[in-house]
Coordinates of all heavy atoms in Angstrom, one line a residue:
A1 N 87.9 95.7 92.7 CA 87.2 94.8 91.9 C 88.2 94.2 90.9 O 89.2 94.9 90.6 CB 86.0 95.4 91.2
G2 N 88.0 93.1 90.4 CA 88.9 92.5 89.4 C 88.4 91.3 88.7 O 87.3 91.0 88.7
K3 N 89.3 90.7 88.0 CA 89.1 89.6 87.1 C 88.4 88.4 87.9 O 87.4 87.9 87.5 CB 90.4 89.2 86.5 CG 90.3 88.0 85.5 CD 89.8 88.5 84.2 CE 89.8 87.4 83.2 NZ 88.7 87.3 82.3
D4 N 89.1 88.0 89.0 CA 88.5 86.9 89.8 C 89.1 87.1 91.2 O 90.1 87.7 91.4 CB 88.8 85.5 89.2 CG 90.2 85.2 89.0 OD1 91.0 85.4 90.0 OD2 90.6 84.7 87.9
A5 N 88.5 86.4 92.2 CA 88.8 86.5 93.6 C 90.3 86.1 93.8 O 91.0 86.7 94.6 CB 87.9 85.8 94.5
E6 N 90.7 85.0 93.2 CA 92.0 84.4 93.4 C 93.1 85.4 92.9 O 94.1 85.7 93.6 CB 92.2 83.1 92.7 CG 93.5 82.4 93.0 CD 93.6 81.0 92.4 OE1 92.6 80.4 92.2 OE2 94.7 80.6 92.2
L7 N 92.9 86.0 91.7 CA 93.8 87.0 91.2 C 93.9 88.2 92.1 O 95.0 88.7 92.4 CB 93.4 87.4 89.8 CG 94.3 88.4 89.1 CD1 95.8 88.0 89.1 CD2 93.8 88.8 87.8
M8 N 92.7 88.7 92.6 CA 92.7 89.8 93.5 C 93.5 89.6 94.8 O 94.2 90.4 95.3 CB 91.3 90.3 93.7 CG 90.6 90.9 92.5 SD 91.6 92.2 91.6 CE 91.8 93.4 92.9
R9 N 93.3 88.4 95.3 CA 94.1 88.0 96.6 C 95.6 88.1 96.3 O 96.3 88.6 97.1 CB 93.6 86.7 97.1 CG 92.3 86.7 97.9 CD 92.1 85.3 98.6 NE 91.9 84.2 97.7 CZ 90.7 83.9 97.1 NH1 89.7 84.7 97.4 NH2 90.6 82.9 96.3
A10 N 96.0 87.5 95.2 CA 97.4 87.5 94.8 C 97.9 88.9 94.6 O 99.0 89.2 95.1 CB 97.6 86.7 93.6
I11 N 97.2 89.8 94.0 CA 97.6 91.1 93.8 C 97.7 91.9 95.1 O 98.7 92.6 95.3 CB 96.6 91.9 92.8 CG1 96.8 91.3 91.4 CG2 96.9 93.4 92.8 CD1 95.7 91.8 90.4
K12 N 96.7 91.7 95.9 CA 96.7 92.4 97.2 C 97.9 91.9 98.1 O 98.6 92.7 98.7 CB 95.4 92.2 98.0 CG 94.3 93.0 97.4 CD 93.0 92.7 98.1 CE 91.8 93.4 97.5 NZ 90.5 93.2 98.1
A13 N 98.2 90.7 98.1 CA 99.3 90.1 98.8 C 100.7 90.7 98.3 O 101.6 91.0 99.0 CB 99.3 88.6 98.8
H14 N 100.7 90.7 97.0 CA 101.9 91.2 96.3 C 102.2 92.7 96.6 O 103.3 93.1 96.9 CB 101.8 91.1 94.8 CG 103.1 91.3 94.0 ND1 104.1 90.4 94.1 CD2 103.5 92.2 93.2 CE1 105.1 90.8 93.4 NE2 104.7 91.9 92.8
L15 N 101.1 93.5 96.6 CA 101.2 94.9 97.0 C 101.5 95.1 98.4 O 102.1 96.1 98.8 CB 100.0 95.7 96.5 CG 99.8 95.8 95.0 CD1 98.4 96.4 94.7 CD2 100.9 96.6 94.4
A16 N 101.1 94.2 99.3 CA 101.3 94.4 100.7 C 102.7 94.0 101.1 O 103.2 94.4 102.2 CB 100.3 93.5 101.5
A17 N 103.4 93.2 100.3 CA 104.8 92.8 100.6 C 105.7 94.0 100.3 O 105.9 94.3 99.1 CB 105.2 91.6 99.8
T18 N 106.2 94.7 101.3 CA 107.0 95.9 101.0 C 108.2 95.7 100.1 O 108.5 96.6 99.3 CB 107.4 96.5 102.4 OG1 108.2 95.5 103.1 CG2 106.3 96.9 103.2
E19 N 108.8 94.6 100.1 CA 110.0 94.4 99.3 C 109.6 94.3 97.8 O 110.3 94.5 96.9 CB 110.8 93.2 99.7 CG 110.1 91.8 99.5 CD 109.2 91.4 100.7 OE1 109.1 92.2 101.7 OE2 108.6 90.4 100.7
D20 N 108.3 93.8 97.5 CA 107.9 93.6 96.2 C 107.1 94.8 95.6 O 107.0 95.1 94.4 CB 107.0 92.4 96.1 CG 107.8 91.1 96.3 OD1 109.0 91.1 96.1 OD2 107.2 90.1 96.6
A21 N 106.4 95.6 96.5 CA 105.5 96.6 96.1 C 106.1 97.7 95.2 O 105.5 98.2 94.3 CB 104.8 97.2 97.3
A22 N 107.3 98.0 95.5 CA 108.0 99.2 94.9 C 108.3 98.9 93.4 O 108.5 99.8 92.6 CB 109.3 99.5 95.6
V23 N 108.3 97.6 93.0 CA 108.6 97.3 91.6 C 107.4 96.9 90.8 O 107.6 96.5 89.6 CB 109.8 96.2 91.5 CG1 111.0 96.8 92.1 CG2 109.3 95.0 92.2
T24 N 106.2 97.1 91.3 CA 105.0 96.7 90.6 C 104.7 97.7 89.5 O 105.2 98.9 89.6 CB 103.8 96.5 91.5 OG1 103.6 97.8 92.1 CG2 104.1 95.5 92.6
L25 N 103.9 97.4 88.5 CA 103.4 98.3 87.5 C 102.6 99.5 88.2 O 102.7 100.6 87.8 CB 102.6 97.7 86.5 CG 103.3 96.6 85.6 CD1 102.3 96.1 84.5 CD2 104.5 97.2 84.9
V26 N 101.9 99.2 89.2 CA 101.1 100.2 90.0 C 102.1 101.2 90.6 O 101.9 102.4 90.4 CB 100.2 99.5 91.0 CG1 99.6 100.6 91.9 CG2 99.1 98.7 90.4
A27 N 103.1 100.7 91.3 CA 104.1 101.7 91.9 C 104.8 102.5 90.8 O 105.0 103.7 91.0 CB 105.1 100.9 92.7
R28 N 105.1 101.9 89.7 CA 105.8 102.6 88.6 C 104.9 103.7 88.1 O 105.3 104.8 87.8 CB 106.2 101.6 87.6 CG 107.2 102.2 86.6 CD 107.8 101.1 85.8 NE 107.8 101.5 84.4 CZ 107.8 100.8 83.4 NH1 107.7 99.5 83.5 NH2 107.8 101.3 82.2
A29 N 103.6 103.4 87.8 CA 102.7 104.4 87.3 C 102.5 105.5 88.2 O 102.5 106.7 87.8 CB 101.3 103.7 87.0
I30 N 102.4 105.3 89.5 CA 102.3 106.3 90.5 C 103.6 107.1 90.6 O 103.5 108.4 90.6 CB 101.9 105.7 91.9 CG1 100.5 105.2 91.8 CG2 102.0 106.7 93.0 CD1 100.0 104.4 93.0
R31 N 104.7 106.5 90.7 CA 106.0 107.1 90.8 C 106.3 108.0 89.6 O 106.7 109.2 89.8 CB 107.1 106.1 91.0 CG 108.5 106.7 91.3 CD 109.5 105.6 91.6 NE 109.5 104.5 90.7 CZ 109.1 103.2 90.9 NH1 108.6 102.9 92.1 NH2 109.1 102.3 90.0
E32 N 106.0 107.5 88.4 CA 106.4 108.2 87.2 C 105.2 109.1 86.7 O 105.4 109.9 85.8 CB 106.7 107.2 86.1 CG 108.0 106.4 86.5 CD 108.3 105.4 85.4 OE1 107.7 105.3 84.4 OE2 109.2 104.5 85.7
K33 N 104.1 109.0 87.3 CA 102.9 109.8 87.0 C 102.6 109.7 85.5 O 102.3 110.7 84.8 CB 103.0 111.3 87.4 CG 103.2 111.5 88.9 CD 103.3 112.9 89.2 CE 103.6 113.1 90.6 NZ 104.0 114.5 90.9
R34 N 102.6 108.4 85.0 CA 102.3 108.2 83.6 C 101.7 106.8 83.5 O 101.9 105.9 84.3 CB 103.5 108.4 82.7 CG 104.6 107.4 82.9 CD 105.7 107.5 81.9 NE 106.7 106.4 82.1 CZ 106.6 105.3 81.5 NH1 105.6 105.0 80.7 NH2 107.5 104.3 81.7
A35 N 101.0 106.5 82.4 CA 100.5 105.2 82.1 C 101.6 104.2 81.9 O 102.6 104.5 81.3 CB 99.6 105.2 80.9
V36 N 101.4 103.0 82.4 CA 102.4 101.9 82.2 C 101.6 100.8 81.6 O 100.6 100.4 82.1 CB 103.1 101.5 83.6 CG1 104.0 100.4 83.4 CG2 103.8 102.7 84.2
V37 N 102.2 100.2 80.6 CA 101.5 99.1 79.8 C 102.3 97.9 79.8 O 103.5 97.9 79.6 CB 101.1 99.6 78.4 CG1 100.6 98.5 77.6 CG2 100.2 100.8 78.4
S38 N 101.6 96.7 80.0 CA 102.2 95.4 79.7 C 101.4 94.7 78.7 O 100.2 94.4 79.0 CB 102.3 94.6 81.0 OG 102.7 93.3 80.7
N39 N 101.9 94.5 77.5 CA 101.1 93.9 76.5 C 101.3 92.4 76.3 O 100.8 91.9 75.3 CB 101.4 94.7 75.1 CG 100.4 95.8 74.9 OD1 99.2 95.7 75.2 ND2 100.9 96.9 74.4
D40 N 102.0 91.8 77.2 CA 102.1 90.4 77.2 C 102.4 89.9 78.6 O 103.5 89.7 79.0 CB 103.2 89.9 76.2 CG 103.3 88.4 76.0 OD1 102.6 87.7 76.8 OD2 104.0 88.0 75.2
S41 N 101.3 89.7 79.4 CA 101.5 89.4 80.8 C 102.2 88.1 81.1 O 102.9 88.0 82.1 CB 100.1 89.3 81.5 OG 99.3 88.3 81.0
Q42 N 102.2 87.2 80.1 CA 102.9 85.9 80.3 C 104.4 86.1 80.2 O 105.2 85.4 80.9 CB 102.4 84.9 79.3 CG 103.1 83.5 79.4 CD 102.6 82.8 80.6 OE1 101.5 82.9 81.0 NE2 103.5 82.0 81.1
H43 N 104.9 87.0 79.4 CA 106.3 87.1 79.0 C 107.0 88.4 79.4 O 108.1 88.6 79.1 CB 106.5 86.8 77.6 CG 106.0 85.4 77.2 ND1 104.9 85.2 76.5 CD2 106.6 84.2 77.4 CE1 104.7 83.9 76.4 NE2 105.7 83.3 76.9
D44 N 106.3 89.3 80.0 CA 106.8 90.6 80.4 C 107.7 90.5 81.6 O 107.2 90.2 82.7 CB 105.7 91.6 80.6 CG 106.2 93.0 80.9 OD1 107.4 93.2 81.2 OD2 105.4 94.0 80.7
P45 N 109.0 90.8 81.5 CA 109.9 90.6 82.6 C 109.7 91.6 83.7 O 110.1 91.5 84.9 CB 111.3 90.8 82.0 CG 111.1 91.6 80.8 CD 109.7 91.2 80.3
H46 N 109.0 92.7 83.4 CA 108.7 93.8 84.4 C 107.4 93.4 85.2 O 107.1 94.1 86.2 CB 108.5 95.1 83.7 CG 109.7 95.5 83.0 ND1 109.8 95.5 81.6 CD2 110.9 96.0 83.5 CE1 111.0 95.9 81.3 NE2 111.7 96.2 82.4
L47 N 106.7 92.4 84.8 CA 105.4 92.0 85.5 C 105.7 90.8 86.4 O 105.8 89.7 85.9 CB 104.3 91.8 84.5 CG 102.9 91.5 85.0 CD1 102.4 92.7 85.8 CD2 102.0 91.3 83.9
Q48 N 105.9 91.0 87.7 CA 106.3 89.9 88.5 C 105.3 88.8 88.7 O 105.6 87.6 88.9 CB 106.7 90.4 89.9 CG 107.9 91.3 89.9 CD 108.3 91.7 91.3 OE1 107.5 91.8 92.2 NE2 109.6 92.0 91.4
S49 N 104.0 89.1 88.6 CA 103.0 88.1 88.8 C 102.3 87.8 87.4 O 101.1 87.5 87.4 CB 102.0 88.6 89.8 OG 101.4 89.8 89.4
G50 N 103.1 87.9 86.4 CA 102.5 87.7 85.0 C 101.9 86.3 84.8 O 100.9 86.2 84.2
G51 N 102.5 85.3 85.4 CA 101.9 84.0 85.3 C 100.5 83.9 85.9 O 99.6 83.3 85.3
R52 N 100.4 84.5 87.0 CA 99.0 84.5 87.7 C 98.0 85.3 86.8 O 96.9 84.9 86.7 CB 99.2 85.2 89.1 CG 97.9 85.5 89.7 CD 97.1 84.3 90.2 NE 97.9 83.6 91.2 CZ 97.7 82.3 91.5 NH1 96.7 81.7 91.0 NH2 98.4 81.7 92.5
H53 N 98.4 86.4 86.2 CA 97.5 87.2 85.4 C 97.2 86.3 84.1 O 96.0 86.3 83.8 CB 98.2 88.5 84.9 CG 98.2 89.5 86.0 ND1 99.2 89.7 86.9 CD2 97.3 90.6 86.2 CE1 98.9 90.7 87.7 NE2 97.8 91.2 87.3
A54 N 98.1 85.7 83.5 CA 97.9 84.9 82.3 C 96.9 83.8 82.6 O 96.0 83.5 81.9 CB 99.2 84.4 81.7
E55 N 97.1 83.1 83.8 CA 96.2 82.0 84.2 C 94.8 82.5 84.4 O 93.8 81.7 84.2 CB 96.7 81.4 85.5 CG 98.0 80.6 85.4 CD 98.5 80.2 86.8 OE1 97.8 80.4 87.8 OE2 99.6 79.7 86.8
S56 N 94.6 83.8 84.7 CA 93.3 84.3 84.9 C 92.7 84.9 83.6 O 91.7 85.6 83.7 CB 93.3 85.4 86.0 OG 93.6 84.8 87.2
G57 N 93.4 84.8 82.5 CA 92.9 85.3 81.2 C 93.3 86.7 80.9 O 92.7 87.3 80.0
V58 N 94.3 87.3 81.6 CA 94.7 88.6 81.3 C 95.9 88.5 80.4 O 97.0 88.0 80.7 CB 95.1 89.4 82.6 CG1 95.7 90.7 82.3 CG2 93.9 89.5 83.6
G59 N 95.7 89.0 79.2 CA 96.8 89.0 78.2 C 97.6 90.3 78.2 O 98.8 90.4 78.0
S60 N 96.9 91.4 78.5 CA 97.5 92.8 78.5 C 96.9 93.6 79.6 O 95.8 93.3 80.0 CB 97.3 93.5 77.2 OG 97.8 92.9 76.1
M61 N 97.7 94.5 80.1 CA 97.1 95.4 81.1 C 97.7 96.8 81.0 O 98.9 97.0 80.6 CB 97.3 94.9 82.5 CG 98.8 94.6 82.9 SD 98.9 93.7 84.5 CE 98.2 94.8 85.7
A62 N 96.9 97.8 81.3 CA 97.4 99.2 81.4 C 97.1 99.7 82.8 O 96.0 99.6 83.3 CB 96.7 100.0 80.3
V63 N 98.1 100.4 83.4 CA 97.9 100.9 84.7 C 98.0 102.5 84.6 O 99.0 103.0 84.1 CB 99.0 100.4 85.7 CG1 98.8 101.0 87.1 CG2 98.9 98.9 85.8
L64 N 96.9 103.1 84.9 CA 96.8 104.6 84.8 C 96.9 105.2 86.2 O 96.1 104.9 87.1 CB 95.5 105.0 84.1 CG 95.2 104.2 82.8 CD1 93.8 104.5 82.4 CD2 96.2 104.4 81.8
P65 N 97.8 106.2 86.4 CA 97.9 106.9 87.7 C 96.7 107.8 87.8 O 96.2 108.4 86.8 CB 99.2 107.7 87.6 CG 99.4 107.9 86.1 CD 98.8 106.7 85.4
L66 N 96.2 108.0 89.0 CA 95.1 108.9 89.3 C 95.7 110.2 89.9 O 96.3 110.1 91.0 CB 94.1 108.3 90.2 CG 93.4 107.0 89.7 CD1 92.5 106.4 90.8 CD2 92.7 107.2 88.4
I67 N 95.7 111.3 89.2 CA 96.4 112.5 89.5 C 95.4 113.5 90.1 O 94.4 113.8 89.5 CB 97.1 113.1 88.3 CG1 98.0 112.1 87.6 CG2 97.9 114.3 88.7 CD1 99.2 111.6 88.3
V68 N 95.7 114.0 91.3 CA 94.9 115.1 91.9 C 95.9 116.1 92.4 O 96.8 115.8 93.2 CB 94.1 114.5 93.1 CG1 93.4 115.6 93.9 CG2 93.1 113.4 92.7
G69 N 95.7 117.4 92.0 CA 96.6 118.4 92.4 C 98.0 118.2 92.1 O 98.9 118.6 92.8
G70 N 98.3 117.6 91.0 CA 99.7 117.3 90.5 C 100.3 116.1 91.2 O 101.4 115.8 90.8
G71 N 99.7 115.5 92.1 CA 100.2 114.3 92.8 C 99.4 113.0 92.4 O 98.2 113.1 92.3
A72 N 100.1 111.9 92.3 CA 99.4 110.6 92.1 C 98.9 110.1 93.4 O 99.6 110.0 94.4 CB 100.4 109.6 91.5
V73 N 97.6 109.8 93.5 CA 96.9 109.4 94.7 C 96.4 107.9 94.6 O 95.9 107.4 95.6 CB 95.7 110.3 95.0 CG1 96.2 111.7 95.3 CG2 94.7 110.3 93.9
G74 N 96.6 107.3 93.5 CA 96.2 105.9 93.3 C 96.4 105.5 91.8 O 97.0 106.3 91.1
A75 N 95.8 104.4 91.5 CA 96.0 103.9 90.1 C 94.8 103.1 89.7 O 94.1 102.5 90.6 CB 97.2 103.1 89.9
L76 N 94.5 103.1 88.4 CA 93.4 102.2 87.8 C 94.1 101.3 86.9 O 94.8 101.7 86.0 CB 92.4 103.1 87.1 CG 91.3 102.4 86.3 CD1 90.4 101.7 87.2 CD2 90.6 103.4 85.4
A77 N 93.8 100.0 87.1 CA 94.4 99.0 86.2 C 93.3 98.4 85.3 O 92.2 98.0 85.8 CB 95.0 97.8 87.0
L78 N 93.6 98.5 84.0 CA 92.6 97.9 83.0 C 93.2 96.7 82.4 O 94.4 96.6 82.0 CB 92.4 99.0 81.9 CG 91.9 100.3 82.3 CD1 91.9 101.3 81.1 CD2 90.5 100.2 82.9
Y79 N 92.4 95.6 82.3 CA 92.8 94.3 81.8 C 92.2 94.0 80.5 O 91.0 94.4 80.2 CB 92.4 93.2 82.7 CG 93.1 93.2 84.1 CD1 92.4 92.7 85.2 CD2 94.3 93.8 84.3 CE1 92.9 92.7 86.5 CE2 94.9 93.8 85.6 CZ 94.2 93.2 86.7 OH 94.7 93.3 87.9
A80 N 92.9 93.3 79.6 CA 92.4 92.8 78.3 C 92.8 91.4 78.2 O 93.9 91.0 78.6 CB 92.9 93.7 77.2
G81 N 91.9 90.6 77.6 CA 92.2 89.2 77.4 C 93.2 89.0 76.3 O 94.0 88.0 76.3
E82 N 93.3 89.9 75.4 CA 94.2 89.8 74.2 C 95.6 90.3 74.5 O 95.8 91.2 75.3 CB 93.7 90.6 73.0 CG 92.3 90.1 72.5 CD 91.2 90.8 73.3 OE1 91.5 91.7 74.1 OE2 90.0 90.4 73.0
V83 N 96.6 89.6 74.0 CA 98.0 90.1 74.0 C 98.1 91.2 73.0 O 97.4 91.2 72.0 CB 99.0 88.9 73.6 CG1 100.4 89.4 73.5 CG2 98.9 87.9 74.7
E84 N 99.0 92.2 73.3 CA 99.2 93.4 72.4 C 97.9 94.2 72.2 O 97.6 94.7 71.1 CB 99.8 93.0 71.0 CG 101.1 92.4 71.1 CD 102.2 93.3 71.6 OE1 102.1 94.5 71.4 OE2 103.1 92.8 72.3
F85 N 97.1 94.4 73.3 CA 95.8 95.1 73.2 C 96.0 96.6 73.3 O 95.3 97.3 72.5 CB 94.9 94.6 74.3 CG 93.5 95.2 74.2 CD1 92.6 94.6 73.4 CD2 93.2 96.3 75.0 CE1 91.3 95.2 73.3 CE2 91.9 96.8 74.9 CZ 91.0 96.3 74.0
F86 N 96.8 97.1 74.2 CA 96.9 98.5 74.4 C 98.0 99.1 73.6 O 99.1 98.6 73.5 CB 97.2 98.8 75.9 CG 96.1 98.4 76.8 CD1 96.2 97.2 77.5 CD2 94.9 99.1 76.9 CE1 95.2 96.8 78.4 CE2 93.9 98.7 77.8 CZ 94.0 97.5 78.5
H87 N 97.7 100.3 72.9 CA 98.6 101.0 72.0 C 98.7 102.4 72.4 O 97.8 103.0 73.1 CB 98.2 100.8 70.6 CG 98.1 99.3 70.2 ND1 99.2 98.6 69.9 CD2 97.0 98.5 70.1 CE1 98.8 97.3 69.7 NE2 97.5 97.3 69.8
A88 N 99.7 103.1 71.9 CA 99.9 104.5 72.3 C 98.7 105.4 71.9 O 98.4 106.4 72.6 CB 101.2 105.0 71.6
D89 N 98.0 105.1 70.8 CA 96.9 105.9 70.4 C 95.8 105.9 71.4 O 95.0 106.8 71.6 CB 96.3 105.4 69.1 CG 97.3 105.7 67.9 OD1 98.2 106.5 68.1 OD2 97.1 105.1 66.8
E90 N 95.7 104.8 72.1 CA 94.6 104.7 73.1 C 95.0 105.4 74.4 O 94.2 105.8 75.2 CB 94.3 103.2 73.4 CG 93.9 102.5 72.2 CD 93.9 101.0 72.4 OE1 94.7 100.4 73.1 OE2 93.1 100.3 71.7

């Protein structure tokens, strides 16, 4: 599920492209087994599809790895419309 159908199609296509998938925030959260945050989707150089997220109203995102038995089995991405929304305390 997600913000809108067009953004979800773009994300799925991006993750399906093997050359791009390894450098996504989702892959990083799973690989590092820690939360990864982008607090400015429009200007974050680590977010390859930031322009698409910003067009869909996503200002910030946090990607949380889902850990089972010590291994990452997936990720949950949380979106916020505001820039600088997610902080260490959260």
Side-chain angles (χ1 to χ4, degrees):
K3 182 78 174 141
D4 59 47
E6 186 176 333
L7 177 60
M8 291 310 301
R9 278 192 295 278
I11 291 170
K12 288 177 183 179
H14 193 69
L15 291 173
T18 56
E19 66 275 1
D20 292 336
V23 296
T24 63
L25 294 183
V26 171
R28 196 168 133 208
I30 290 171
R31 184 174 50 252
E32 298 175 9
K33 296 181 188 172
R34 67 175 186 85
V36 178
V37 173
S38 173
N39 266 321
D40 187 350
S41 64
Q42 180 70 35
H43 300 102
D44 186 340
H46 299 105
L47 188 60
Q48 292 184 337
S49 56
R52 170 70 65 199
H53 282 86
E55 289 171 9
S56 294
V58 176
S60 300
M61 59 189 299
V63 181
L64 311 172
L66 303 175
I67 309 293
V68 175
V73 298
L76 172 68
L78 303 173
Y79 297 151
E82 299 86 6
V83 173
E84 297 296 329
F85 184 82
F86 297 102
H87 302 282
D89 292 342
E90 297 167 334

